[in-house]
Amino acid sequence: MGYGDNAAADWAGAWKRVLFELIGSLDQSVRSSITSVAFDGTSATALLIDPRDGAPLAPPKLYNEAQAKDIVAAAKAIAPPAHTATAATSTLCKLLTWWYGTGDGGNWRQVASERGLALPSPGSGVYDSGVTALPPPLLLHQADWLAALLHGVYDSGVTDWNNALKLGYDPELESYPSWLMEQPFAPLLPARVVAPGAPVATLERRVAGETGLPLDCLVCGGTTDSIAAFVAAGVTEAGQAVTSLGSTLAVKLLSTTRVDDAAYGVYSHRLGDVWLVGGASNSGGAVLRRFFTDQQLQELTPRLDPDRPTGLNYYPLPSPGERFPVADPDLQPRMVPRPDDDAVFLQGLLEGISQIEAAAYSRLAAMGASPLKEVVTAGGGAVNPKWTAIRQRLLGVPVRAAEQGEACYGAALLARQGARQAARKLGLTASE
């Protein structure tokens, strides 16, 4: 379901409204048979709430909202070098914006004070309300908050390994690092961090009555949207990867080795006992849209010849600047000379994007990730067989389309995993 035209005026309200509209749109026979639920949300979309009732204290900060340079500098001053949490769009940087009250980040303190919450001062961990028996505000991610709307457990907060990564959580140690817990804003962090798909809590009785969902429906640990899409693709072994060919080019590889490098925007999420290593290029389908319509792409594709490379050696970018596999904010697009034949030009662009993809996986291998064995493709580019042939030649491994690519399908798989985990604890066997 879409959020509607006016959602930006109240993102949190729109998320809540659509969640319950979506549940209500299900046939009652479906609702009454749901055993478990899990949420995926955009990475680093976060909000501050009152932990007593979940009420937002300020408008959410969305995944793509870059914070000010002084905030990024503050994050870099407390985090290890090149840490994922020091990116301008990270959850940590958004928390610091709220904490220091810079830009639009200061109004929440007045709201929290009016609601009687304990408020540490920005410069220390001393609560200036003087009433420490009251709880402090709580930071939650989009997926955390929506899950809490169903299970009703706010208090000290529940999040998951994947969403908490850009807050500074260490999924390898399964704890917040000391450099983070020493900060005066540490009381605002969600205290319970679970594995994606792990059982969290059953439905709040009031919610079960209002929605028609079973009272014993289990709400499970969530994940981010991109990881949910990866889970949906059914990749399970180290060396298998998923390339998302949408407006940008994103690669994710299952690896036995953790790889992180903020300079390239590369970081690892934990999935069970392995690591999901990912990076994203600015190249991708958005470049193709600048030159061709869907109809033109469809008409030109039969004329492509994957076995006869054009040799054009393009580096297609929508604008100057690249993040991965080359970290160069000034890198210029290279899409000339343009042949007279549009089919040759299109093939040159597809070859260029494919070369970037191959270089991306080579970069991950050079960083220590597991060797590439197979690539599963999600996104619009997955349906073009000529492009698949070009990519397979350059990658040197089998390439196939994902049978499932929707993030919601991946979230459902995590929910099923949680139901089975809970059933095993009870010595039962969950039904298929």
Side-chain angles (χ1 to χ4, degrees), residues 37-288:
V37 179
F39 287 84
D40 71 86
T42 48
S43 176
T45 293
L47 63 170
L48 287 178
I49 67 162
D50 185 329
R52 297 169 298 186
D53 60 6
L57 303 176
K61 290 189 179 297
L62 303 189
Y63 68 100
N64 59 350
E65 291 185 34
Q67 305 305 295
K69 290 182 179 179
D70 60 334
I71 291 295
V72 175
K76 289 181 177 179
I78 61 174
H83 196 285
T84 302
T86 61
T89 55
S90 73
T91 319
L92 177 61
C93 283
K94 287 160 186 164
L95 176 55
L96 288 172
T97 296
W98 275 316
W99 182 251
Y100 290 116
T102 60
D104 61 350
N107 294 337
W108 68 272
R109 286 183 176 274
Q110 180 179 346
V111 177
S113 178
E114 291 170 352
R115 293 180 68 92
L117 293 174
L119 286 175
S121 63
S124 71
V126 178
Y127 286 70
D128 54 26
S129 70
V131 189
T132 55
L134 293 173
L138 176 66
L139 179 135
L140 289 181
H141 303 90
Q142 179 190 37
D144 310 335
W145 185 68
L146 289 169
L149 291 179
L150 297 187
H151 59 59
V153 181
Y154 299 103
D155 49 65
S156 57
V158 183
T159 187
D160 63 84
W161 293 346
N162 300 154
N163 274 294
L165 186 74
K166 294 181 180 179
L167 188 52
Y169 182 80
D170 189 334
E172 189 168 13
L173 299 178
E174 296 185 26
S175 65
Y176 291 112
S178 58
W179 63 261
L180 189 58
M181 294 307 293
E182 292 167 354
Q183 303 304 318
F185 54 76
L188 279 64
L189 304 177
R192 185 181 173 196
V193 188
V194 302
V200 172
T202 53
L203 284 195
E204 186 179 10
R205 182 174 295 277
R206 174 187 59 80
V207 172
E210 292 176 356
T211 61
L213 292 170
L215 183 59
D216 61 355
C217 177
L218 186 64
V219 183
C220 303
T223 187
T224 65
D225 56 346
S226 62
I227 294 180
F230 185 94
V231 171
V235 173
T236 58
E237 298 179 9
Q240 289 184 306
V242 173
T243 295
S244 297
L245 293 175
S247 57
T248 60
L249 166 69
V251 301
K252 286 185 167 59
L253 170 73
L254 273 186
S255 173
T256 56
T257 306
R258 180 179 182 178
V259 175
D260 296 282
D261 191 333
Y264 287 96
V266 171
Y267 51 89
S268 297
H269 282 284
R270 185 174 169 185
L271 274 182
D273 295 326
V274 292
W275 296 96
L276 180 54
V277 183
S281 166
N282 291 332
S283 186
V287 182
L288 302 179

Side-chain angles (χ1 to χ4, degrees), residues 14-32:
W15 300 338
K16 181 177 181 178
R17 171 179 52 78
V18 171
L19 167 62
F20 288 99
E21 285 179 358
L22 182 60
I23 295 172
S25 72
L26 298 175
D27 186 271
Q28 178 56 36
S29 63
V30 174
R31 268 182 287 164
S32 62

